[in-house]
Structures are given as C-alpha cells and as structure tokens.
Amino acid sequence: MTAMARSANKDEAGGVTHLVAALARALREQQRLSQTEVGAMTGYTGSAISAMETCAQPASDQMLVKLEEAIGCGLGVFDKARQYVLMDKYPPQFKNFSLMEAQAVTLAAYETYVVNGLFQTEDYARALIGGGYPKLPEAKVDELVEARMARKALFDREPTALIEVILDESVLRRPFGSWDILRGQLRSLAEDAQRDNVSIQVLPLERGLRGTHAGARGDMILVETKEHHHVVYLEIEDESHLVSDPAKASQLAHRYAKIRTQALGPDDSLSLIERLAGEERS
C-alpha cells in the first residue's frame, strides 16, 4: 500500500473504525502483547496489525473475527463491531442509507444502468468498482467489495424482508469486466429470483415504443423502514438524496408502481434472464 493510500484511509476512516482501532490497541497493550505477537495469533503480519491500529488499513471482517478470538477477552466487542465497521467502509453518499437498508421491512429498487448492489456477485462488483474513475487503490476496492457483499445478509435476515427489483433490460446486456462475469451475474440473478421473498422484473428495451415509459427519469430505491415509514433513496454521480417527505415519497412510489406495471412479469423476466445467461458472447 502506498503512503498516499494509507493517508487517504486515515482521513476517510469513520468513528467506528477509529474506535475499533483504539480498542484493539488497548486490549493488546493490556495483555502485554506486541503487534507482531497479535499478528502471529491472528494469521496477519505485525505491520498489518499496526496498519489496523492507525486506520491506515481498517480491519477486514475476517480480521475482526480473528481479533475477537485472540484478544477479545470474551467481551464480544469485535464481533459486535463487524456490522458497523462494514458500514463505515461504504462510500459517504451511501452511509446514511446503509443501516436503513439492512433493517428494511420492504425494499423495492428500479435500476437503469447496473445490477442493484444487493444482487451483485463478487466478480461483478469488483469489475464495476475497480473499473470506475478515478481509479481506486486495490485495497480500497477490496474494502468496498467486502462491504457490498455483506449487504446480502438482508436476503436471509429474520424477520424476513420483502425485496423486489426492476431492471431495465439494458442492464442485463451490459458487461463489466468480461462476458463471463456478466453470465455469472445473470445466473446469480436467476437464482435470487427464485427466493420466496424476492421478485425480479425486467423493463423491456422497446417499452418506449408503446408511447409511455414511466422509468425514463432514472433509478430509485423505495424502503419501508422498521418503524413503517416510507422513504426513497436517490443517487447520481456520487451524490445522494433521501426523500422522506410523505407527499414526495408517495409521488415517487406511484411512479415506481407504474414502472412495475410496464415491466415483464416475474416468470417472463426469469425466462429472459436465463436465456441471456445461456448466450455465448465475445
């Protein structure tokens, strides 16, 4: 990792990451262990432990598991911190929404350019994040991919969340990284579509030929919170907006409902996804 990347990580690290780093150092020193010794106990180098303690390289989820085993003293602090450290790694524009998503009662998304992050495979996410501009350091890409994969816990969370996504057909045809990565992503979508709490629909490319196209104004994510409030999350060019005003959220919900009526049904959508997943393209 370059000195510039280490400095950027320290500047970007959130409060939870700093707290975990301070706790790790305090527990290590209390037990009179060196960074090298803790590294040996956890399967990391002493320099990796040092980087974690200074936030030059925040702890990975796996490192937190190992720290709990090695120096946690049965307190469970590192285990409890895992969810919040992952949230700390999200891009700034997503942090305020991430906990709301994780606790959502229902989540409905409309996507026009890429597969919704909740449904992305690791290869697809890595190609998407790693191929962006400005180019990110590999360690930062790793962090963001790890955080994105952690969001999948919503699929199997109890109580069960109801999740649906509408994808513009162009999303299913747009490769990132390679055609093999796209095929893997489509196969994963087909598997997710068969979950009891998930619905996936596709808005056909030729929808505009019918004279109406409710989805022309872009992406949105609608959430019913655990308190049963309804909000809408919008994001463009690394800027985000959370719509909580009931009248505005309702208007966007009505637009989403119209988009859903214009999309293929779940069964036809699954057939299209499976057909595209089986196509050989190069």
Side-chain angles (χ1 to χ4, degrees), residues 5-81:
R6 288 194 295 269
S7 178
N9 283 343
K10 290 179 183 179
D11 292 340
E12 294 174 5
V16 175
T17 299
H18 280 286
L19 178 60
V20 167
L23 283 170
R25 181 172 181 173
L27 287 168
R28 174 180 64 77
E29 292 178 344
Q30 183 185 56
Q31 296 169 54
R32 299 182 179 180
L33 296 168
S34 69
Q35 292 172 338
T36 300
E37 288 171 326
V38 172
M41 295 165 68
T42 57
Y44 293 89
T45 63
S47 60
I49 300 301
S50 174
M52 177 273 297
E53 290 185 356
T54 61
C55 297
Q57 181 58 54
S60 67
D61 190 58
Q62 186 59 36
M63 180 183 281
L64 290 172
V65 172
K66 295 297 185 181
L67 286 171
E68 182 64 44
E69 296 172 355
I71 61 172
C73 299
L75 298 174
V77 291
F78 296 110
D79 188 54
K80 291 181 176 68

Side-chain angles (χ1 to χ4, degrees), residues 2 64-65 103 117 122 124 151-152 191 215 225 228 234 239 243:
T2 67
L64 290 172
V65 172
Q103 299 177 345
E122 183 172 345
Y124 184 94
R151 292 167 59 191
K152 291 180 177 293
E191 292 173 3
T225 71
H228 303 290
L234 307 171
E239 297 292 334
V243 180

